[in-house]
Amino acid sequence: MSIKKRPVILDGDPGHDDAIAWVLAASMPEFDIKAITTVAGNQTLAKVTYNARRIAALLHLDVEVAKGRAVPLMSDLIIAPNFHGESGLDGPKLPEPEHPESSLSAIEMMAKVLQESEEKVTIIATGPQTNVGALLLTHPELKEKIEVISTMGGGIRNGNWTPAAEFNILVDPEASYLEYHSGVPVQMCGLDVTEQAIVYPEDWERIRALNNPVAKTVAEWFDFFFIHLSELGWKGATLHDPCAVLSLIHPEIFDIRDYYVTTELSGLYTRGETVADVYGITGNKPNCKAVVGLDRQKFVDYLVEACAKFEGWEVNL
Amino acid sequence: MKKIPVWIDTDCGVDDAMALLLAFRLPELEIVGLSAVAGNVTLENTFRNTRDIAALAGRKDIPVYKGADRPWIVEPRRAEYVHGADGLGGAEIAHSDAPEAEGHAWDALYQCAKKYPGELQVVAVGPLTDVANAVIKYPDLPQYVKGIHIMGGVAAGPGNTNMTAEFNIMGDPHAAACVFKSGIPVTMAGLDVTLKAHLNKEEVEAIASTDNKVCKLISQATRNTLALYKQLGLGEIMCMHDSCPILNLAHPEFFSGKEAGVHVETTGVETLGKTVCDLYSDGKHGVKNTTVLLDCDREAIVKLVSEIYTTYEA
């Protein structure tokens, strides 16, 4: 029996954890990846777009990569070179892109995929939510074609870039706000879960030992990503973005709660915080499936399993 | 043993009253002054309750000063649904006949601090308006006050007033922001610890059924409390919110916490009044102005408070 595939768009700012999220997505028979769109965040738009095209080449993804917005909807861009290096994806050598960049913008590409798809499309957005926010604003007629926006961003308990705000949401709080108030189902993997999605060096040695080209690349991404995290005191690599992929396919290993969530747009100290109504104080109906916990060991096992699927893979370096 | 001189500023409600009744009987502490601030109920009521509770405990000798009748900027916010219109859940209590202390709370607090330079511990269990007024009026206050010990805020977790803010801080977020920036070390007993410092139903009933004047008051004042907590989904418990900073002064071994940077959000739409704490974030505020209490020895607290309440005079 063949698995029913769900059409997905991968939107991100790769980025080591975006890249690993996309490896995971590419390995899943449940997904039919329709397009990749990029957004400025971890590095500048030109750099993350080049990275996205190289990742697509590594994974032999026969899809177009469409460049998104270079800046947030209305804020100045923040980037994170201390985590991801000058290229935005420092570490192992990657194959050069196989396909030219799409002539469409990310918004046009997303709209085209939604328009052409008979089924609803899942958008996995693992960078600032700029492209998705722009899509919702400019193609309101396509909202109903979106199955769910699965986002890595925010944190109910705490932030990381500031005490209250997580990086992706801090970069473009308005875009995040538009998602939560769009009526489209949103699944949120915030720091509540992603800081529990810790992969330790012994875990990624399991991946390296698989000894296929993708697994080796993933292990070397971990090596690089962990450098700055270990300086901050982390004992392993917090694998933020892959949660947004895996929680769609294996919700049973995650703790998922229905909350009303919104994004703070003001605030001296809290701009970009995702605020959740845990006690039901506002009377607002839940608009979000907030992922707040996971079974770490099973998460790691799925990751290793995903990397094992690239056995015998050929890569032209 | 030298007693710790303590000033308590309160918006005397039910759990404030229970905190005061502990404070008067903790041998480690010397309560040297009291002040009332508007919060849970109006200033008129918090002032009367503070005086009446002091009198009930036989401490009419401690002066009670009147503080601010409203927050600095935000509209007043009351919790009459928790504490009753009078602030003591309609409990019967004799009114104090002590002479009313003259002067503003913040002036009296400052004068008191100068009497105990470097030693005075200020406990504030309501909105921080009075303490902030002392801070802005007396720039040299930090050299006299050893620490400010508040019940308020929450470091990690939902608020109980808006989605992110705790009631006392929300009661006067701007004053709270001023206090956290004052340079005086703050010890914050927020919801992180005060929800853990609770009495369960049996423990409340054991106290309430004891035949003395204090337990009788507690019995009447807490009639609705268990039901209220149950309604909030927290179980049939009663949190000793305001007792935490007082117990922590007398028995720091009951509590554990961490140094952190805390600022109060005053401009957020959804986050007004949030105590933004940098404990769990890579990004830090650049100051460590606060000791955030995070955990407590509930059993030890229950044992001590039960003993104090039940051994009051008939």
Side-chain angles (χ1 to χ4, degrees), chain A residues 190-240:
Chain A
L191 298 174
D192 313 288
V193 62
T194 70
E195 288 188 342
Q196 297 178 53
I198 299 179
V199 179
Y200 296 109
E202 61 266 31
D203 298 320
W204 73 75
E205 289 314 320
R206 282 173 67 195
I207 294 173
R208 201 189 315 274
L210 294 168
N211 207 28
N212 72 56
V214 174
K216 277 195 285 190
T217 303
V218 168
E220 288 169 34
W221 280 334
F222 272 115
D223 292 336
F224 185 88
F225 191 43
F226 184 51
I227 296 171
H228 187 60
L229 282 166
S230 64
E231 286 166 5
L232 291 170
W234 291 92
K235 302 285 178 237
T238 42
L239 217 45
H240 304 288

Short mmCIF file of all heavy atoms in Angstrom, two decimals, chain A residues 190-240:
data_model
loop_
_atom_site.label_atom_id
_atom_site.label_comp_id
_atom_site.label_asym_id
_atom_site.label_seq_id
_atom_site.Cartn_x
_atom_site.Cartn_y
_atom_site.Cartn_z
N GLY A 190 7.90 26.01 19.65
CA GLY A 190 8.71 27.07 20.24
C GLY A 190 9.81 26.47 21.10
O GLY A 190 9.99 25.25 21.15
N LEU A 191 10.52 27.35 21.78
CA LEU A 191 11.64 26.90 22.61
C LEU A 191 11.20 25.93 23.70
O LEU A 191 12.00 25.14 24.20
CB LEU A 191 12.33 28.11 23.26
CG LEU A 191 12.95 29.11 22.27
CD1 LEU A 191 13.48 30.33 23.01
CD2 LEU A 191 14.08 28.45 21.48
N ASP A 192 9.90 26.00 24.06
CA ASP A 192 9.36 25.06 25.06
C ASP A 192 9.70 23.63 24.68
O ASP A 192 10.07 22.83 25.52
CB ASP A 192 7.84 25.23 25.16
CG ASP A 192 7.46 26.69 25.25
OD1 ASP A 192 7.70 27.28 26.31
OD2 ASP A 192 6.97 27.24 24.26
N VAL A 193 9.55 23.31 23.40
CA VAL A 193 9.89 21.95 22.96
C VAL A 193 11.30 21.89 22.38
O VAL A 193 12.04 20.94 22.62
CB VAL A 193 8.86 21.39 21.95
CG1 VAL A 193 8.80 22.21 20.68
CG2 VAL A 193 9.18 19.94 21.61
N THR A 194 11.69 22.92 21.64
CA THR A 194 12.94 22.77 20.87
C THR A 194 14.17 22.78 21.78
O THR A 194 15.19 22.21 21.43
CB THR A 194 13.07 23.84 19.76
OG1 THR A 194 13.29 25.12 20.35
CG2 THR A 194 11.85 23.86 18.87
N GLU A 195 14.05 23.43 22.94
CA GLU A 195 15.19 23.38 23.87
C GLU A 195 15.24 22.05 24.61
O GLU A 195 16.21 21.77 25.33
CB GLU A 195 15.13 24.57 24.85
CG GLU A 195 15.48 25.88 24.16
CD GLU A 195 15.63 27.06 25.09
OE1 GLU A 195 15.13 26.99 26.23
OE2 GLU A 195 16.24 28.06 24.67
N GLN A 196 14.20 21.23 24.44
CA GLN A 196 14.26 19.85 24.95
C GLN A 196 14.71 18.89 23.85
O GLN A 196 15.02 17.74 24.13
CB GLN A 196 12.89 19.41 25.45
CG GLN A 196 12.36 20.21 26.64
CD GLN A 196 10.98 19.73 27.05
OE1 GLN A 196 10.75 18.55 27.28
NE2 GLN A 196 10.04 20.66 27.11
N ALA A 197 14.71 19.38 22.60
CA ALA A 197 15.12 18.55 21.47
C ALA A 197 16.64 18.64 21.34
O ALA A 197 17.19 19.11 20.35
CB ALA A 197 14.43 19.01 20.18
N ILE A 198 17.31 18.19 22.38
CA ILE A 198 18.77 18.31 22.44
C ILE A 198 19.38 17.04 21.88
O ILE A 198 19.01 15.93 22.26
CB ILE A 198 19.24 18.52 23.89
CG1 ILE A 198 18.64 19.81 24.44
CG2 ILE A 198 20.76 18.58 23.95
CD1 ILE A 198 19.01 20.09 25.88
N VAL A 199 20.31 17.24 20.94
CA VAL A 199 21.03 16.11 20.37
C VAL A 199 22.46 16.19 20.88
O VAL A 199 23.14 17.21 20.70
CB VAL A 199 20.97 16.16 18.83
CG1 VAL A 199 21.73 15.00 18.22
CG2 VAL A 199 19.51 16.13 18.37
N TYR A 200 22.90 15.15 21.56
CA TYR A 200 24.22 15.16 22.18
C TYR A 200 25.26 14.63 21.20
O TYR A 200 24.93 13.89 20.25
CB TYR A 200 24.21 14.32 23.46
CG TYR A 200 23.30 14.88 24.52
CD1 TYR A 200 22.10 14.26 24.86
CD2 TYR A 200 23.64 16.08 25.16
CE1 TYR A 200 21.26 14.79 25.83
CE2 TYR A 200 22.80 16.62 26.13
CZ TYR A 200 21.61 15.98 26.46
OH TYR A 200 20.78 16.53 27.39
N PRO A 201 26.54 14.97 21.43
CA PRO A 201 27.59 14.49 20.52
C PRO A 201 27.52 12.98 20.29
O PRO A 201 27.69 12.53 19.14
CB PRO A 201 28.87 14.89 21.25
CG PRO A 201 28.50 16.14 21.98
CD PRO A 201 27.06 15.93 22.42
N GLU A 202 27.22 12.18 21.31
CA GLU A 202 27.16 10.72 21.07
C GLU A 202 25.99 10.35 20.14
O GLU A 202 26.06 9.34 19.44
CB GLU A 202 27.07 9.94 22.39
CG GLU A 202 25.85 10.23 23.26
CD GLU A 202 26.11 11.29 24.33
OE1 GLU A 202 26.93 12.21 24.09
OE2 GLU A 202 25.49 11.22 25.41
N ASP A 203 24.96 11.20 20.12
CA ASP A 203 23.84 10.94 19.20
C ASP A 203 24.26 11.18 17.76
O ASP A 203 23.91 10.41 16.87
CB ASP A 203 22.64 11.85 19.52
CG ASP A 203 22.08 11.61 20.92
OD1 ASP A 203 22.02 10.45 21.34
OD2 ASP A 203 21.71 12.61 21.58
N TRP A 204 24.99 12.29 17.53
CA TRP A 204 25.33 12.52 16.12
C TRP A 204 26.51 11.68 15.66
O TRP A 204 26.73 11.54 14.47
CB TRP A 204 25.43 14.00 15.76
CG TRP A 204 26.56 14.84 16.22
CD1 TRP A 204 27.83 14.86 15.74
CD2 TRP A 204 26.51 15.88 17.21
NE1 TRP A 204 28.56 15.83 16.38
CE2 TRP A 204 27.78 16.48 17.28
CE3 TRP A 204 25.49 16.37 18.05
CZ2 TRP A 204 28.08 17.52 18.15
CZ3 TRP A 204 25.80 17.41 18.91
CH2 TRP A 204 27.09 17.96 18.97
N GLU A 205 27.22 11.05 16.60
CA GLU A 205 28.20 10.04 16.18
C GLU A 205 27.47 8.82 15.60
O GLU A 205 27.99 8.17 14.70
CB GLU A 205 29.12 9.63 17.34
CG GLU A 205 30.13 10.71 17.76
CD GLU A 205 30.86 11.37 16.59
OE1 GLU A 205 31.23 10.68 15.62
OE2 GLU A 205 31.04 12.62 16.63
N ARG A 206 26.28 8.53 16.11
CA ARG A 206 25.47 7.45 15.50
C ARG A 206 25.16 7.79 14.05
O ARG A 206 25.15 6.92 13.18
CB ARG A 206 24.14 7.29 16.25
CG ARG A 206 24.21 6.54 17.57
CD ARG A 206 22.87 6.58 18.29
NE ARG A 206 21.80 5.85 17.62
CZ ARG A 206 20.51 6.01 17.92
NH1 ARG A 206 20.13 6.85 18.87
NH2 ARG A 206 19.59 5.31 17.27
N ILE A 207 24.89 9.09 13.82
CA ILE A 207 24.57 9.52 12.44
C ILE A 207 25.82 9.44 11.57
O ILE A 207 25.78 8.91 10.46
CB ILE A 207 23.97 10.95 12.47
CG1 ILE A 207 22.61 10.92 13.18
CG2 ILE A 207 23.86 11.51 11.06
CD1 ILE A 207 21.99 12.27 13.43
N ARG A 208 26.95 9.93 12.11
CA ARG A 208 28.19 9.90 11.33
C ARG A 208 28.54 8.46 10.92
O ARG A 208 28.96 8.19 9.79
CB ARG A 208 29.34 10.50 12.14
CG ARG A 208 30.52 10.98 11.26
CD ARG A 208 31.77 11.37 12.06
NE ARG A 208 31.53 12.18 13.22
CZ ARG A 208 31.44 13.53 13.22
NH1 ARG A 208 31.62 14.19 12.08
NH2 ARG A 208 31.22 14.19 14.33
N ALA A 209 28.31 7.53 11.88
CA ALA A 209 28.68 6.13 11.65
C ALA A 209 27.86 5.48 10.53
O ALA A 209 28.25 4.43 10.01
CB ALA A 209 28.54 5.34 12.94
N LEU A 210 26.73 6.11 10.15
CA LEU A 210 25.94 5.57 9.04
C LEU A 210 26.74 5.62 7.75
O LEU A 210 26.49 4.86 6.81
CB LEU A 210 24.64 6.36 8.87
CG LEU A 210 23.63 6.26 10.01
CD1 LEU A 210 22.54 7.31 9.84
CD2 LEU A 210 23.01 4.86 10.05
N ASN A 211 27.68 6.61 7.72
CA ASN A 211 28.69 6.64 6.66
C ASN A 211 28.12 6.81 5.25
O ASN A 211 28.74 6.39 4.28
CB ASN A 211 29.55 5.36 6.75
CG ASN A 211 30.94 5.60 6.18
OD1 ASN A 211 31.43 6.74 6.22
ND2 ASN A 211 31.56 4.56 5.67
N ASN A 212 26.93 7.40 5.13
CA ASN A 212 26.48 7.80 3.79
C ASN A 212 26.72 9.31 3.65
O ASN A 212 26.90 10.00 4.65
CB ASN A 212 25.03 7.37 3.53
CG ASN A 212 24.02 8.18 4.32
OD1 ASN A 212 23.99 9.40 4.22
ND2 ASN A 212 23.20 7.50 5.12
N PRO A 213 26.73 9.83 2.43
CA PRO A 213 27.14 11.23 2.25
C PRO A 213 26.24 12.24 2.97
O PRO A 213 26.72 13.26 3.45
CB PRO A 213 27.07 11.44 0.73
CG PRO A 213 26.88 10.12 0.12
CD PRO A 213 26.45 9.15 1.16
N VAL A 214 24.94 11.96 3.03
CA VAL A 214 24.04 12.89 3.71
C VAL A 214 24.27 12.81 5.23
O VAL A 214 24.38 13.85 5.90
CB VAL A 214 22.56 12.58 3.36
CG1 VAL A 214 21.62 13.44 4.20
CG2 VAL A 214 22.31 12.79 1.87
N ALA A 215 24.37 11.59 5.74
CA ALA A 215 24.57 11.43 7.19
C ALA A 215 25.89 12.09 7.62
O ALA A 215 25.94 12.75 8.66
CB ALA A 215 24.58 9.94 7.54
N LYS A 216 26.91 11.92 6.81
CA LYS A 216 28.20 12.53 7.16
C LYS A 216 28.09 14.06 7.17
O LYS A 216 28.63 14.73 8.03
CB LYS A 216 29.29 12.07 6.18
CG LYS A 216 29.87 10.71 6.57
CD LYS A 216 31.17 10.41 5.85
CE LYS A 216 30.90 10.04 4.40
NZ LYS A 216 32.08 9.51 3.70
N THR A 217 27.36 14.59 6.19
CA THR A 217 27.16 16.05 6.13
C THR A 217 26.39 16.52 7.36
O THR A 217 26.75 17.52 7.99
CB THR A 217 26.39 16.42 4.85
OG1 THR A 217 27.13 15.93 3.73
CG2 THR A 217 26.21 17.91 4.73
N VAL A 218 25.35 15.78 7.72
CA VAL A 218 24.55 16.16 8.89
C VAL A 218 25.44 16.17 10.14
O VAL A 218 25.40 17.11 10.95
CB VAL A 218 23.35 15.20 9.07
CG1 VAL A 218 22.69 15.39 10.43
CG2 VAL A 218 22.32 15.42 7.95
N ALA A 219 26.27 15.13 10.29
CA ALA A 219 27.15 15.06 11.47
C ALA A 219 28.10 16.26 11.51
O ALA A 219 28.33 16.84 12.57
CB ALA A 219 27.93 13.76 11.46
N GLU A 220 28.58 16.65 10.34
CA GLU A 220 29.49 17.80 10.30
C GLU A 220 28.76 19.12 10.53
O GLU A 220 29.33 20.07 11.06
CB GLU A 220 30.28 17.81 8.98
CG GLU A 220 31.33 16.69 8.96
CD GLU A 220 31.96 16.48 7.58
OE1 GLU A 220 32.13 17.47 6.85
OE2 GLU A 220 32.26 15.31 7.25
N TRP A 221 27.50 19.20 10.13
CA TRP A 221 26.70 20.38 10.49
C TRP A 221 26.57 20.47 12.01
O TRP A 221 26.71 21.53 12.60
CB TRP A 221 25.29 20.30 9.86
CG TRP A 221 25.24 20.70 8.42
CD1 TRP A 221 26.09 21.55 7.76
CD2 TRP A 221 24.27 20.27 7.45
NE1 TRP A 221 25.70 21.67 6.45
CE2 TRP A 221 24.59 20.91 6.22
CE3 TRP A 221 23.16 19.42 7.49
CZ2 TRP A 221 23.84 20.72 5.05
CZ3 TRP A 221 22.41 19.23 6.33
CH2 TRP A 221 22.75 19.87 5.12
N PHE A 222 26.32 19.32 12.62
CA PHE A 222 26.25 19.30 14.09
C PHE A 222 27.56 19.79 14.69
O PHE A 222 27.56 20.58 15.64
CB PHE A 222 25.96 17.88 14.61
CG PHE A 222 24.51 17.54 14.70
CD1 PHE A 222 23.95 16.55 13.90
CD2 PHE A 222 23.68 18.20 15.60
CE1 PHE A 222 22.61 16.22 13.99
CE2 PHE A 222 22.34 17.87 15.71
CZ PHE A 222 21.79 16.88 14.89
N ASP A 223 28.68 19.30 14.16
CA ASP A 223 29.98 19.70 14.69
C ASP A 223 30.09 21.23 14.72
O ASP A 223 30.51 21.82 15.70
CB ASP A 223 31.14 19.15 13.82
CG ASP A 223 31.25 17.63 13.91
OD1 ASP A 223 30.79 17.06 14.92
OD2 ASP A 223 31.80 17.03 12.96
N PHE A 224 29.67 21.86 13.60
CA PHE A 224 29.81 23.32 13.52
C PHE A 224 28.79 24.03 14.41
O PHE A 224 29.13 24.93 15.18
CB PHE A 224 29.66 23.81 12.08
CG PHE A 224 29.93 25.29 11.98
CD1 PHE A 224 31.21 25.76 11.77
CD2 PHE A 224 28.90 26.22 12.16
CE1 PHE A 224 31.47 27.13 11.74
CE2 PHE A 224 29.15 27.59 12.14
CZ PHE A 224 30.44 28.04 11.92
N PHE A 225 27.54 23.61 14.32
CA PHE A 225 26.44 24.27 15.04
C PHE A 225 26.69 24.23 16.56
O PHE A 225 26.34 25.15 17.30
CB PHE A 225 25.14 23.53 14.69
CG PHE A 225 23.87 24.21 15.11
CD1 PHE A 225 23.68 25.57 14.96
CD2 PHE A 225 22.82 23.46 15.65
CE1 PHE A 225 22.49 26.18 15.33
CE2 PHE A 225 21.62 24.06 16.02
CZ PHE A 225 21.46 25.42 15.86
N PHE A 226 27.35 23.15 17.00
CA PHE A 226 27.56 22.95 18.43
C PHE A 226 28.63 23.89 18.99
O PHE A 226 28.64 24.16 20.19
CB PHE A 226 27.94 21.49 18.69
CG PHE A 226 28.08 21.14 20.15
CD1 PHE A 226 27.07 21.45 21.06
CD2 PHE A 226 29.21 20.50 20.62
CE1 PHE A 226 27.19 21.12 22.41
CE2 PHE A 226 29.34 20.17 21.97
CZ PHE A 226 28.33 20.48 22.86
N ILE A 227 29.51 24.42 18.11
CA ILE A 227 30.61 25.26 18.61
C ILE A 227 30.07 26.43 19.43
O ILE A 227 30.42 26.60 20.60
CB ILE A 227 31.48 25.79 17.44
CG1 ILE A 227 32.16 24.61 16.71
CG2 ILE A 227 32.54 26.77 17.96
CD1 ILE A 227 32.86 25.03 15.42
N HIS A 228 29.17 27.21 18.83
CA HIS A 228 28.67 28.38 19.56
C HIS A 228 27.72 27.97 20.69
O HIS A 228 27.72 28.59 21.75
CB HIS A 228 27.99 29.36 18.60
CG HIS A 228 27.62 30.66 19.26
ND1 HIS A 228 28.55 31.48 19.85
CD2 HIS A 228 26.42 31.24 19.47
CE1 HIS A 228 27.94 32.53 20.38
NE2 HIS A 228 26.64 32.41 20.16
N LEU A 229 26.93 26.93 20.46
CA LEU A 229 26.01 26.47 21.52
C LEU A 229 26.79 26.04 22.76
O LEU A 229 26.39 26.34 23.89
CB LEU A 229 25.15 25.32 21.01
CG LEU A 229 23.98 25.71 20.10
CD1 LEU A 229 23.41 24.49 19.39
CD2 LEU A 229 22.88 26.40 20.90
N SER A 230 27.92 25.35 22.55
CA SER A 230 28.69 24.90 23.71
C SER A 230 29.30 26.10 24.44
O SER A 230 29.41 26.09 25.66
CB SER A 230 29.77 23.89 23.31
OG SER A 230 30.71 24.50 22.47
N GLU A 231 29.65 27.14 23.69
CA GLU A 231 30.15 28.37 24.34
C GLU A 231 29.08 28.99 25.23
O GLU A 231 29.39 29.62 26.23
CB GLU A 231 30.57 29.40 23.28
CG GLU A 231 31.88 29.06 22.57
CD GLU A 231 32.11 29.91 21.31
OE1 GLU A 231 31.30 30.82 21.04
OE2 GLU A 231 33.08 29.61 20.60
N LEU A 232 27.83 28.80 24.86
CA LEU A 232 26.72 29.34 25.66
C LEU A 232 26.36 28.42 26.82
O LEU A 232 25.49 28.74 27.63
CB LEU A 232 25.48 29.53 24.78
CG LEU A 232 25.55 30.64 23.73
CD1 LEU A 232 24.36 30.55 22.78
CD2 LEU A 232 25.61 32.01 24.38
N GLY A 233 27.02 27.27 26.90
CA GLY A 233 26.78 26.38 28.03
C GLY A 233 25.89 25.19 27.72
O GLY A 233 25.59 24.39 28.61
N TRP A 234 25.44 25.06 26.45
CA TRP A 234 24.59 23.92 26.10
C TRP A 234 25.45 22.65 26.01
O TRP A 234 26.58 22.69 25.55
CB TRP A 234 23.88 24.16 24.77
CG TRP A 234 22.84 25.24 24.86
CD1 TRP A 234 23.00 26.57 24.61
CD2 TRP A 234 21.47 25.07 25.28
NE1 TRP A 234 21.83 27.25 24.83
CE2 TRP A 234 20.87 26.35 25.25
CE3 TRP A 234 20.70 23.98 25.69
CZ2 TRP A 234 19.54 26.56 25.59
CZ3 TRP A 234 19.38 24.19 26.02
CH2 TRP A 234 18.81 25.47 25.98
N LYS A 235 24.90 21.53 26.45
CA LYS A 235 25.63 20.25 26.45
C LYS A 235 25.41 19.47 25.16
O LYS A 235 26.00 18.42 24.93
CB LYS A 235 25.20 19.38 27.64
CG LYS A 235 25.40 20.05 28.99
CD LYS A 235 26.88 20.07 29.38
CE LYS A 235 27.10 20.79 30.70
NZ LYS A 235 28.06 21.92 30.54
N GLY A 236 24.53 19.97 24.35
CA GLY A 236 24.25 19.33 23.06
C GLY A 236 23.69 20.40 22.13
O GLY A 236 23.62 21.57 22.49
N ALA A 237 23.31 19.96 20.93
CA ALA A 237 22.76 20.91 19.96
C ALA A 237 21.24 20.90 20.07
O ALA A 237 20.60 19.86 19.98
CB ALA A 237 23.19 20.52 18.55
N THR A 238 20.68 22.08 20.28
CA THR A 238 19.22 22.19 20.35
C THR A 238 18.71 22.22 18.91
O THR A 238 18.98 23.15 18.17
CB THR A 238 18.82 23.49 21.07
OG1 THR A 238 19.69 24.54 20.62
CG2 THR A 238 18.98 23.35 22.56
N LEU A 239 17.94 21.20 18.57
CA LEU A 239 17.55 21.01 17.18
C LEU A 239 16.17 21.60 16.93
O LEU A 239 15.19 20.88 16.77
CB LEU A 239 17.61 19.52 16.85
CG LEU A 239 18.11 19.20 15.44
CD1 LEU A 239 19.34 20.02 15.09
CD2 LEU A 239 18.42 17.75 15.32
N HIS A 240 16.17 22.94 16.86
CA HIS A 240 14.89 23.66 16.80
C HIS A 240 14.03 23.26 15.59
O HIS A 240 12.92 22.77 15.75
CB HIS A 240 15.17 25.17 16.72
CG HIS A 240 16.01 25.68 17.84
ND1 HIS A 240 15.54 25.80 19.12
CD2 HIS A 240 17.29 26.10 17.87
CE1 HIS A 240 16.50 26.28 19.89
NE2 HIS A 240 17.57 26.46 19.16
#
